[in-house]
Amino acid sequence: MAKSMEIVPSGTLQKQFGHYSDEAMIRPVGVSRNGRVRFVMVPVDEYERLRRRERVAGRTEDLDEETLDALRAVKPGPGSEEAERQFQAARAG
């Protein structure tokens, strides 16, 4: 389960940076300015994990024609009608 984010004003962060940098190793620390969270401090391994995830997701506009043609040629597999029915039922209800 994800740990809740602590929110700290930027002035407090400046005065107690050591404390909040340690806290960010345990849970995300949101840094606010004028009452709005401006950024979040997280451990570098979490940042890198998020960056890797970002690279996995892509846009079809970024794919070459060969890959697009291969995707267009994919035929539905066994059970796809049942999966579609379940998906539509979940969206409706």
Side-chain angles (χ1 to χ4, degrees):
M1 181 159 76
K3 297 184 179 185
S4 63
M5 178 170 62
E6 179 172 357
I7 299 175
V8 60
S10 59
T12 303
L13 175 72
Q14 288 176 335
K15 293 174 187 167
Q16 299 177 21
F17 182 78
H19 168 75
Y20 288 107
S21 64
D22 289 343
E23 188 68 23
M25 297 303 290
I26 301 167
R27 64 181 174 167
V29 175
V31 181
S32 67
R33 184 170 178 190
N34 298 325
R36 296 186 64 204
V37 175
R38 302 280 302 261
F39 63 91
V40 178
M41 294 173 33
V42 295
V44 70
D45 58 336
E46 177 66 6
Y47 171 77
E48 290 169 351
R49 185 189 71 78
L50 292 169
R51 292 285 300 183
R52 282 191 305 275
R53 183 174 175 186
E54 178 183 277
R55 283 190 295 249
V56 171
R59 301 176 340 179
T60 55
E61 295 85 12
D62 297 334
L63 299 175
D64 59 58
E65 280 303 312
E66 182 180 353
T67 303
L68 287 172
D69 289 341
L71 289 171
R72 290 181 189 114
V74 171
K75 301 291 184 221
S80 61
E81 292 87 9
E82 176 62 17
E84 178 65 21
R85 186 190 66 71
Q86 291 176 4
F87 175 71
Q88 293 301 333
R91 285 183 61 195

